Amino acid sequence: MTRLYNDPAAFADEALEGFAAAHRRWVRPVPGGVVRATAKTPGQVAVVIGGGSGHYPAFSGLVGQGLAHGAAVGNVFASPSAQQIRTVARAAESGGGVLLLYGNYAGDVLHFGQAAERLNAEGTATRTFAVTDDLSSAAPDEAHKRRGIAGDLPVFKAAAAAAEQGLPLDEVARVAAYANARTRSFGIAFSGCTLPGADHPLFTVPEDRMAVGLGIHGEPGIGEAAVPTADEAAELLVSTLLKELPDGVTAPDGQRAAVILNGLGSVKYEELFVVYRRVARLLADAGVQTVDPEVGELVTSFDMAGISLTLTWLDDILEALWTAPADAPAYRKGSVPEAVAADEDEDEASYETGSGPEPYVASDDSRNAAATALDALGRIKETVDAHADELGRIDAVAGDGDHGIGMQRGSSAAYEAALHAKELGAGAHSLLTAAGDAWADRAGGTSGALWGIILRAVADALGDIERPTPATIAHGVRQASDGVRRTGGAEVGDKTMVDVLVPFAETLVQQVAEGADLTAAWAGAADVAEQAARDTARLVPRMGRARPHAEKSLGTPDAGAHSLALIVRAVHGALATCQ
């Protein structure tokens, strides 16, 4: 378990601060993450990686010469926000464009995609790529749905080495895709991990059993088996990976492979070496030539007792990239040229997040609506705080258990941003826009992005001048529903917050159209939302991290759906008070 922490919600920020202070030779902190401490190479593609905290040395430990130019670091097991990613990318880029690399998780896909859109719009050529190496998370014919786990490293390494060679952006992106296509990983675990502040692990495994095919966010495995000996574990890992060879590899005999035996947090190095001894023999017996194998902790999951094996099938191009020198805090290979340190007085204007508060122009009617919105956001924060542990427990049934922490960070940041905007005279649109941006930025993850969309959609409907009416508010909620479905890709029945948001929006619009006042219409829609949230217990997930563990979630409501139902009920209290 994680024993040393202060405020669990501040754990990721404090860990990143300490990491940067301890590794000043390699990295310097910027808002949202870290970048190389060495001087930039003009015109070189910047490879920016990222993901949630809890996986060290991924992602911050992989920043340095020959590896990433920067890393955006999110909350525990939650993707960094689009703003964090954009800020890190702007600090890292040097005129050759940016390649954003990350694991294939819904929150990362959303936030890195949004960051890329903003960077491209600002004139910085940007490409994105999601790593999909975990063969246990989807069938071969749906490989694009697979998770990114320890295979992150060889993909990051190949792309970064290609950038060091001076290749252009599109070619560096092609190298990343090629390395990913030739990389496969598979893992097992004997216990789950425990998040900072939690009193129990995200999942447990019976004492004489092991989880097979687990993820790196505390997701339970897709199956269980008897606890093996070290040799039996090696045989399971190797045989599983040799059953699925990538295109272009017809048989293992005569092939070269980069090999990673990865510890997930609490399996000791000596144990890993015992397992690798057998892995090496099995691969040799199959005719595989191992190239620069790595044995150790490379992509972890806090204190999870587990291991994973990764094979990247090499050709001459990939072997040269895999063996190229690198010098990062947690990964060193060969000898890199001596580099000049970055100018500590470098102008940071290129990656600052803003230039200060804007003067707000708003009508009295809109400012009155903003006061109600602020009250609602305060009630949302109080509700989330009161139910954070419950939300984490629900989320841990088939996911990673971070929903409560993420919602706390997001709702707190939204309220603080709204309070500041209100003090500066903001109307409803400006206040809710500030709240939405703050929620997305601080919470990260899928829910952070979607709550940012929700608040911005309502903000756009209200404006800063006109007096909000029940019809405009209902329209904003409907626009929020449409935006979440469009961005997240989920539909009713997928066991997500959409299962609550859609019926809530439809009911609100209908009751307002039939003449109900806003408070009464909202109350009726909240009733529908609460029932819809309860009904998600009968569904199995078809999207997100919980999808590979669909059967485990039967009988438990979706955490995002449940939190949305709690929130719309809290907002009703603010509406009732203002009447």
Side-chain angles (χ1 to χ4, degrees):
M1 62 181 296
T2 308
R3 296 176 175 85
L4 296 174
Y5 56 88
N6 296 307
D7 177 0
F11 183 88
D13 294 335
E14 293 178 349
L16 183 63
E17 180 184 351
F19 163 78
H23 296 96
R24 295 187 185 278
R25 181 165 78 83
W26 292 276
V27 302
R28 60 187 178 93
V30 297
V34 293
V35 296
R36 290 186 189 179
T38 50
K40 298 177 182 178
T41 301
Q44 186 175 98
V45 173
V47 175
V48 175
I49 63 177
S53 298
H55 304 302
Y56 190 83
F59 296 88
S60 54
L62 303 179
V63 174
Q65 293 183 83
L67 254 169
H69 296 74
V73 183
N75 191 24
V76 174
F77 291 173
S79 68
S81 71
Q83 182 58 38
Q84 287 177 287
I85 298 161
R86 170 180 169 269
T87 301
V88 172
R90 292 186 65 176
E93 70 92 18
S94 58
V98 175
L99 175 61
L100 302 176
L101 294 176
Y102 47 93
N104 187 34
Y105 300 92
D108 294 283
V109 172
L110 283 175
H111 286 288
F112 279 91
Q114 290 174 352
E117 289 177 2
R118 293 184 63 182
L119 289 164
N120 280 311
E122 294 165 356
T124 300
T126 305
R127 305 289 183 269
T128 68
F129 188 79
V131 179
T132 56
D133 60 302
D134 177 24
L135 59 78
S136 71
S137 53
D141 60 349
E142 291 188 312
H144 63 284
K145 295 182 179 180
R146 287 177 169 173
R147 304 176 289 210
I149 53 174
D152 283 352
L153 176 60
V155 176
F156 295 170
K157 178 71 169 58
E164 295 281 2
Q165 292 177 357
L167 297 182
L169 177 58
D170 286 340
E171 185 64 14
V172 174
R174 189 198 68 79
V175 166
Y178 183 57
N180 180 73
R182 296 175 71 93
T183 300
R184 302 287 188 276
S185 298
F186 185 72
I188 59 176
F190 312 101
S191 71
C193 61
T194 304
L195 299 185
D199 58 4
H200 58 275
L202 293 179
F203 71 89
T204 58
V205 182
E207 190 170 335
D208 59 345
R209 307 287 286 175
M210 71 174 176
V212 178
L214 62 134
I216 57 167
H217 297 93
E219 307 99 322
I222 59 173
E224 288 185 3
V227 171
T229 64
D231 283 358
E232 290 169 343
E235 290 158 8
L236 172 63
L237 295 171
V238 171
S239 64
T240 301
L241 291 181
L242 293 186
K243 287 177 184 175
E244 185 184 314
L245 301 176
D247 292 342
V249 179
T250 56
D253 188 23
Q255 299 291 332
R256 292 165 286 171
V259 183
I260 299 172
L261 183 62
N262 176 58
L264 282 157
S266 64
V267 174
K268 305 306 294 181
Y269 272 66
E270 286 87 349
E271 295 176 273
L272 291 173
F273 292 137
V274 172
V275 175
Y276 186 73
R277 144 195 164 278
R278 182 60 175 160
V279 167
R281 291 177 184 173
L282 291 169
L283 291 174
D285 290 346
V288 179
Q289 177 187 346
T290 60
V291 178
D292 276 9
E294 298 285 350
V295 180
E297 293 185 350
L298 294 159
V299 180
T300 62
S301 184
F302 272 115
D303 60 337
M304 183 184 289
I307 60 175
S308 65
L309 182 65
T310 299
L311 298 180
T312 298
W313 297 94
L314 303 174
D315 56 13
D316 290 344
I317 294 174
L318 287 179
E319 180 172 351
L321 298 172
W322 173 244
T323 58
D327 184 29
Y331 188 89
R332 298 165 204 170
K333 179 177 288 188
S335 178
V336 301
E338 184 174 352
V340 177
D343 184 355
E344 292 185 2
D345 296 325
E346 178 183 349
D347 180 14
E348 297 183 352
S350 64
Y351 57 84
E352 286 297 328
T353 57
S355 56
E358 300 177 1
Y360 291 116
V361 177
S363 68
D364 288 342
D365 283 337
S366 187
R367 288 191 173 113
N368 290 335
T372 301
L374 179 63
D375 181 26
L377 288 165
R379 292 169 185 261
I380 289 171
K381 177 184 178 300
E382 292 172 357
T383 297
V384 170
D385 285 344
H387 293 87
D389 289 345
E390 176 193 11
L391 295 174
R393 177 187 57 77
I394 293 172
D395 189 38
V397 171
D400 55 19
D402 71 335
H403 188 67
I405 292 176
M407 291 293 288
Q408 276 188 299
R409 286 169 61 102
S411 60
S412 295
Y415 177 73
E416 292 300 325
L419 180 62
H420 183 59
K422 180 68 171 61
E423 292 171 347
L424 296 174
H429 171 269
S430 296
L431 182 141
L432 286 172
T433 297
D437 289 348
W439 192 314
D441 188 34
R442 287 295 292 160
T446 308
S447 68
L450 298 182
W451 273 101
I453 289 169
I454 290 170
L455 293 177
R456 271 189 163 270
V458 176
D460 290 344
L462 299 187
D464 278 333
I465 304 299
E466 300 297 325
R467 180 178 182 178
T469 66
T472 57
I473 293 171
H475 173 70
V477 172
R478 172 177 276 172
Q479 290 299 106
S481 175
D482 292 343
V484 166
R485 292 164 69 189
R486 182 173 56 253
T487 304
E491 294 294 342
V492 173
D494 286 342
K495 195 165 188 173
T496 70
M497 70 185 303
V498 168
D499 290 295
V500 171
L501 184 55
V502 168
F504 173 77
E506 291 177 349
T507 304
L508 183 64
V509 169
Q510 178 183 348
Q511 294 203 9
V512 167
E514 292 174 354
D517 64 50
L518 180 61
T519 303
W522 197 282
D527 290 340
V528 171
E530 288 169 344
Q531 183 59 53
R534 289 191 290 269
D535 288 344
T536 61
R538 298 186 286 105
L539 301 175
V540 293
R542 298 192 296 226
M543 296 188 67
R545 293 179 191 166
R547 179 180 53 81
H549 318 291
E551 74 289 345
K552 294 180 182 292
S553 74
L554 272 175
T556 302
D558 177 70
H562 182 55
S563 62
L564 176 56
L566 291 170
I567 284 171
V568 297
R569 181 60 71 187
V571 172
H572 175 254
L575 296 175
T577 301
C578 76
Q579 279 200 332

